[in-house]
Amino acid sequence: MSFISEFKEFAMRGNVIDMAVGVVIGGAFGKIVSSLVGDIIMPVVGVITGGVNFTDLKLTLKEAAEGAPAVTINYGSFIQTMVDFLIIAFCIFCVIKALNTLKNKLPKEEEAAPAEPETPADIALLTEIRDLLKK
């Protein structure tokens, strides 16, 4: 089997295609959730916390000198990213919880009663002979 045909077989597997679709949809969903957090939730959090913007917090290790930029540890960006993560995780949790609740409230399809296993031909014939002998 050649390398190209082996790659084609790998790439056309159902799992790989499903994963690719999941990644694309996940990326789009990520943009929606990021917009929800950045454009809707964070302004409200900013008003509640008095307009604190964590991104501006930093520790300067070396001041800017002779055209070289200052060396800083931007811990505020890290804090902001953590807050964003917690809000995103909470939003996703709420969406999944709502979907699970909705799924549990939908009527379940009734499962068909398991059919009796078919009797083998020789056993059926012996049963018929037995019934005839009883008569």
Side-chain angles (χ1 to χ4, degrees):
M1 186 177 240
S2 74
F3 182 78
I4 303 250
S5 62
E6 198 172 330
F7 175 74
K8 182 180 176 184
E9 181 182 329
F10 167 78
M12 293 304 157
R13 280 186 169 156
N15 294 345
V16 174
I17 302 295
D18 291 344
M19 185 178 72
V21 169
V23 167
V24 170
I25 300 263
F29 184 71
K31 289 180 182 179
I32 291 170
V33 172
S34 295
S35 175
L36 172 71
V37 170
D39 300 331
I40 296 173
I41 296 175
M42 284 313 289
V44 174
V45 171
V47 168
I48 292 171
T49 60
V52 174
N53 186 357
F54 296 115
T55 347
D56 297 334
L57 301 174
K58 59 185 162 190
L59 175 66
T60 304
L61 298 177
K62 183 178 177 185
E63 296 292 333
E66 297 180 19
V71 179
T72 59
I73 296 177
N74 301 321
Y75 66 92
S77 293
F78 177 73
I79 292 171
Q80 185 66 45
T81 302
M82 293 295 291
V83 169
D84 289 351
F85 170 77
L86 291 173
I87 293 170
I88 289 170
F90 180 73
C91 290
I92 291 175
F93 170 76
C94 290
V95 167
I96 297 297
K97 185 164 178 59
L99 288 175
N100 286 339
T101 302
L102 181 64
K103 182 180 174 185
N104 289 336
K105 288 187 178 188
L106 291 176
K108 295 180 182 176
E109 293 180 20
E110 292 186 30
E111 295 180 14
E116 268 188 45
E118 219 175 283
T119 309
D122 57 342
I123 301 294
L125 183 60
L126 288 172
T127 304
E128 188 179 327
I129 293 171
R130 180 196 68 199
D131 293 342
L132 287 173
L133 287 173
K134 282 184 180 178
K135 288 181 184 177

